[in-house]
Amino acid sequence: MRHVAALAGVGVKTVSRVINGEPNVSAATIAKVEAAARTLDYQPDLHAGNLRRADGRTRTLGLLVGSVDNPFSGAVHRAVEDAALARGVSVFASSLDDDPDREQEAVSAFLRRRVDGLILTTISESQAYLAPELRRGTPVVFVDREPAGLTSDAVVSDNSDGAALATRHLLEHGHRRIAYLGDRHDIQTARERHRGYLDELGRAGVSTRGQQVVEGLHDEATSRAATLALFDVPNPPTAIFSSQNLVTIGVIRALRELGRQHDTALVGFDDVPLGDLLEPGVTVVAQNPQAIGRIAAERVFARLDGDASVAARTIVPTRLLERGSGEIAPRAEG
Amino acid sequence: MRHVAALAGVGVKTVSRVINGEPNVSAATIAKVEAAARTLDYQPDLHAGNLRRADGRTRTLGLLVGSVDNPFSGAVHRAVEDAALARGVSVFASSLDDDPDREQEAVSAFLRRRVDGLILTTISESQAYLAPELRRGTPVVFVDREPAGLTSDAVVSDNSDGAALATRHLLEHGHRRIAYLGDRHDIQTARERHRGYLDELGRAGVSTRGQQVVEGLHDEATSRAATLALFDVPNPPTAIFSSQNLVTIGVIRALRELGRQHDTALVGFDDVPLGDLLEPGVTVVAQNPQAIGRIAAERVFARLDGDASVAARTIVPTRLLERGSGEIAPRAEG
DNA sequence: TGTCGCCTTGACAACGATGTCAGGGATAGG
DNA sequence: CCTATCCCTGACATCGTTGTCAAGGCGACA
């Protein structure tokens, strides 16, 4: 800026005025400054300005997701970005791989960079460590998973309800041996989905005792192996409820290998790419990551604009997409 | 930091020393400062430090991709993030939707935030506008697409070669009417793939005149419509080469609708999620987005570490994945 | 015991910008 | 012609941090 001022033959403050479009600068001066700025390819330093600026906003947002190459996370990210773009806000994204240590580090990295707000998919047991930051006025919105040890806005799917919906769908198609394949138990949504599954069995008066329940699955490989193991017992399940997209994919692979994709029902939680093009099509309880991301970003901006209402939990509905795999009838018993 | 200093009863510079782990601070002082910092939940302001720090690094990277919710972009993003994490660098990501105006805006937003380096999937006709920034010493690495009007590092797939590989594969399976479905002609990789396709037909002595070539496809919907139209002529193609992942998905949908997925060969450029689980499996020329992202990030960091060698183009090999759709024989002619 | 040198510490300027404020020129009104 | 007002402009302090430098305290060594 000093250089631009020198080249234009004006003071730095005048350059600042022109750059920021402040009033009361003569047309001739504006022209001189703009010419100088163009000549020097000047880009103002937003961070330096921020140091002094009244509102102290960096026009920056921090987003924490499972992994930026997971389709669910990607959709959330894109929705957040679109909302941010309209306000000239840039987005930092970080992948957690559901590792609590990475969460702490990433949040800390964001705070040191003075992001205006945080949108988080948490994995740590408690987010109480964010309380001071929240008090300081940084909006924090949780997506996909609800916070623990802290009260703040959250935008989530109805996990237990969605899981119950999936389970009911299988029950209605006559299944009584419905295996549950789930993610790690330290993930809140996984627990919720597990609960929804158990509750629905209970409501239907179906014993939860005889059901095969496998938790702790986190990727395609472990899920595939677990599915293969399901069929190593005398009375294998006639239906499977898989509680996460990567788990669902592992199940599909295993069923193909066993040649059982047409005689074992499957409903997944969270949509699977091209799920409608597989044979059979994959019946899923689909979430709405676009809406989740958009609403979360809107919450953050509303808070920044002064909305001081109490923290709210927004539930984004899930939807059952019947595509074939969930409508397979139970095998006739031997 | 003033507050921490006051609470600890020391000077600000001493706090700075403790925070940055500089030597020559007594153990007692370190303890006092750390206690005060913990009490106040102090997070140093990285940007303020940067203003004064000698190296002027923000430990920040800007990444421009087609869209953060495209699987190819997501994989690149994740690889860049992993490389950055190891160096304490945070990543800004922006989606372009292949819109040149958004490119300019996003780059400008990154530069105003003083990113240490840029990793770009460009869409603008010329990137000459980056020359001053490059001279200023900001490393710029192009991924997926090569720069025009500017010389800088690039990490790309061999597009024409991959397209030729796909075309040759179809020729070897006996096809002579091979339709080309491609992306917008203003995208450099699309032009390259188109060229590879034509060149290979030429090498095989197959006339390019009678082939159906459709360009300007950019999403599933337009691709699906274009595919349906291919079959509205007397002698429809017996094989299709689709030059991009979304285009490939549109083709698959259309072929299903027509019931021709088992009698029309298909090879796609760029992998499709779950492509191996479809029936038939989707034969593709797969790129390696993980390697592209990783190598690009390594180039940026090497430049930041002082590597001043001439700009290099790194070509990441493509790989033909035979899964069924590309190995379908031509229909017997009437 | 005096001097030297090391360790520890803080005062101060500076990074690149903006908020505040005051000064100077032009214009209008008395 | 003088003065009040408005417009335009730049000097200066400041944001939160780090680089520089000098000073004070203490132990070691002659």
Side-chain angles (χ1 to χ4, degrees):
Chain A
M1 189 171 249
R2 333 178 68 75
H3 302 116
V4 176
L7 180 59
V10 301
V12 285
K13 179 61 206 189
T14 300
V15 175
S16 169
R17 269 189 271 260
V18 173
I19 297 291
N20 294 295
E22 288 174 35
N24 298 333
V25 184
S26 77
T29 308
I30 291 180
K32 273 192 302 185
V33 171
E34 285 181 342
R38 241 192 324 277
T39 305
L40 298 176
D41 258 287
Y42 171 72
Q43 296 269 13
D45 184 324
L46 235 50
H47 295 126
N50 254 79
L51 211 50
R52 192 66 176 81
R53 209 188 320 273
D55 64 4
R57 297 278 163 80
T58 54
R59 307 191 84 68
T60 272
L61 226 60
L63 172 68
L64 246 57
V65 294
S67 172
V68 292
D69 71 349
N70 178 295
F72 180 85
S73 301
V76 171
H77 186 179
R78 181 59 204 255
V80 169
E81 190 200 327
D82 287 343
L85 182 68
R87 313 189 41 140
V89 168
S90 291
V91 179
F92 282 117
S94 257
S95 303
L96 291 188
D97 285 342
D98 286 323
D99 175 348
D101 295 336
R102 283 184 72 150
E103 172 177 333
Q104 298 269 356
E105 266 183 59
V107 166
S108 176
F110 289 161
L111 293 180
R112 283 196 298 268
R113 290 183 174 83
R114 296 293 186 266
V115 295
D116 294 336
L118 288 171
I119 297 180
L120 309 178
T121 308
T122 45
I123 174 60
S124 59
E125 257 185 49
S126 160
Q127 290 77 49
Y129 68 95
L130 282 169
E133 195 58 31
L134 210 54
R135 271 196 300 276
R136 213 167 281 149
T138 308
V140 179
V141 176
F142 293 88
V143 290
D144 188 37
R145 299 173 192 165
E146 292 179 39
L150 184 78
T151 304
S152 195
D153 291 319
V155 183
V156 298
S157 297
D158 192 330
N159 288 288
S160 65
D161 193 64
L165 181 61
T167 309
R168 182 158 62 249
H169 188 69
L170 291 168
L171 287 167
E172 284 170 357
H173 280 79
H175 296 276
R176 289 300 174 268
R177 291 203 306 283
I178 305 174
Y180 172 87
L181 296 188
D183 205 327
R184 282 168 24 200
H185 198 75
D186 60 339
I187 296 176
Q188 186 229 344
T189 54
R191 288 195 301 273
E192 292 284 311
R193 292 170 195 175
H194 184 206
R195 187 166 63 78
Y197 156 82
L198 292 178
D199 287 354
E200 187 62 28
L201 287 182
R203 274 190 290 274
V206 172
S207 160
T208 57
R209 275 298 192 68
Q211 309 298 346
Q212 294 195 55
V213 170
V214 187
E215 296 190 80
L217 307 175
H218 208 61
D219 52 29
E220 288 185 30
T222 50
S223 165
R224 174 182 156 277
T227 306
L228 293 177
L230 290 181
F231 290 89
D232 272 347
V233 299
N235 276 313
T238 62
I240 298 174
F241 170 50
S242 60
S243 88
Q244 191 245 71
N245 57 2
L246 299 181
V247 173
T248 303
I249 293 170
V251 172
I252 295 170
R253 290 195 189 285
L255 290 180
R256 298 273 173 123
E257 286 174 45
L258 296 167
R260 309 207 79 144
Q261 73 270 33
H262 292 292
D263 76 0
T264 304
L266 168 66
V267 177
F269 198 108
D270 196 16
D271 205 357
V272 162
L274 302 194
D276 59 326
L277 290 178
L278 299 178
E279 285 167 21
V282 188
T283 295
V284 296
V285 174
Q287 304 184 79
N288 192 341
Q290 290 84 6
I292 291 177
R294 180 176 46 75
I295 294 169
E298 284 167 2
R299 294 297 317 144
V300 168
F301 290 128
R303 293 295 183 191
L304 287 173
D305 289 345
D307 177 350
S309 55
V310 299
R313 186 178 59 169
T314 306
I315 294 180
V316 178
T318 56
R319 208 157 45 104
L320 180 74
L321 302 180
E322 304 189 17
R323 291 172 176 156
S325 76
E327 295 71 47
I328 294 172
R331 291 182 293 277
E333 293 296 301
Chain B
M1 187 172 250
R2 332 176 69 76
H3 301 117
V4 177
L7 181 60
V10 302
V12 285
K13 178 63 204 188
T14 300
V15 175
S16 169
R17 269 189 271 259
V18 173
I19 297 291
N20 294 294
E22 287 174 38
N24 298 332
V25 184
S26 76
T29 307
I30 291 180
K32 272 192 301 183
V33 170
E34 286 181 342
R38 240 191 325 276
T39 304
L40 298 175
D41 256 288
Y42 170 72
Q43 294 271 9
D45 184 325
L46 235 50
H47 294 125
N50 254 77
L51 210 52
R52 192 63 177 84
R53 210 189 316 275
D55 65 2
R57 297 276 165 82
T58 54
R59 307 190 86 67
T60 272
L61 226 60
L63 172 68
L64 246 58
V65 295
S67 172
V68 293
D69 71 349
N70 179 294
F72 179 86
S73 301
V76 171
H77 185 179
R78 180 60 204 255
V80 168
E81 190 200 326
D82 287 344
L85 182 68
R87 311 187 44 137
V89 168
S90 291
V91 179
F92 281 117
S94 256
S95 304
L96 291 187
D97 285 342
D98 286 324
D99 175 347
D101 294 337
R102 283 183 74 150
E103 172 177 332
Q104 299 269 353
E105 265 183 60
V107 167
S108 177
F110 289 162
L111 294 180
R112 283 195 298 265
R113 290 183 174 85
R114 297 292 186 268
V115 296
D116 295 337
L118 288 170
I119 297 180
L120 309 178
T121 307
T122 47
I123 175 58
S124 59
E125 258 185 50
S126 160
Q127 290 76 47
Y129 68 94
L130 283 168
E133 195 57 32
L134 210 54
R135 271 196 300 277
R136 213 166 281 150
T138 308
V140 179
V141 176
F142 292 88
V143 289
D144 188 37
R145 300 175 191 163
E146 293 179 40
L150 183 77
T151 305
S152 195
D153 292 319
V155 184
V156 297
S157 297
D158 192 331
N159 289 288
S160 67
D161 195 63
L165 181 62
T167 309
R168 183 158 60 249
H169 187 69
L170 290 168
L171 287 166
E172 283 170 358
H173 280 78
H175 296 276
R176 289 301 174 269
R177 289 202 308 282
I178 305 174
Y180 171 88
L181 295 189
D183 205 327
R184 281 168 26 199
H185 198 75
D186 60 339
I187 296 176
Q188 186 229 343
T189 53
R191 290 196 300 274
E192 293 284 310
R193 293 169 195 176
H194 184 206
R195 188 166 63 76
Y197 157 83
L198 292 177
D199 287 355
E200 188 63 28
L201 288 181
R203 273 191 290 275
V206 173
S207 161
T208 56
R209 275 299 192 67
Q211 309 298 346
Q212 293 195 57
V213 169
V214 186
E215 296 190 81
L217 307 175
H218 207 61
D219 54 27
E220 290 186 30
T222 51
S223 165
R224 173 181 157 278
T227 306
L228 293 177
L230 290 181
F231 290 89
D232 272 346
V233 300
N235 276 311
T238 62
I240 298 174
F241 170 50
S242 61
S243 87
Q244 191 247 68
N245 57 0
L246 299 182
V247 173
T248 301
I249 293 170
V251 172
I252 294 169
R253 290 196 188 283
L255 290 179
R256 297 273 173 123
E257 286 176 44
L258 295 167
R260 308 207 80 145
Q261 73 270 34
H262 292 291
D263 77 359
T264 304
L266 168 64
V267 178
F269 198 108
D270 195 15
D271 204 357
V272 163
L274 302 193
D276 59 327
L277 289 179
L278 298 178
E279 285 165 21
V282 188
T283 295
V284 296
V285 175
Q287 303 185 78
N288 191 341
Q290 290 82 5
I292 291 177
R294 181 177 46 75
I295 295 169
E298 284 168 2
R299 293 299 312 146
V300 168
F301 290 128
R303 294 294 183 191
L304 286 173
D305 289 344
D307 177 350
S309 55
V310 298
R313 186 180 58 171
T314 306
I315 295 180
V316 177
T318 56
R319 209 158 44 104
L320 180 73
L321 302 180
E322 304 189 17
R323 292 173 176 154
S325 76
E327 295 71 47
I328 294 172
R331 292 183 292 276
E333 294 295 303

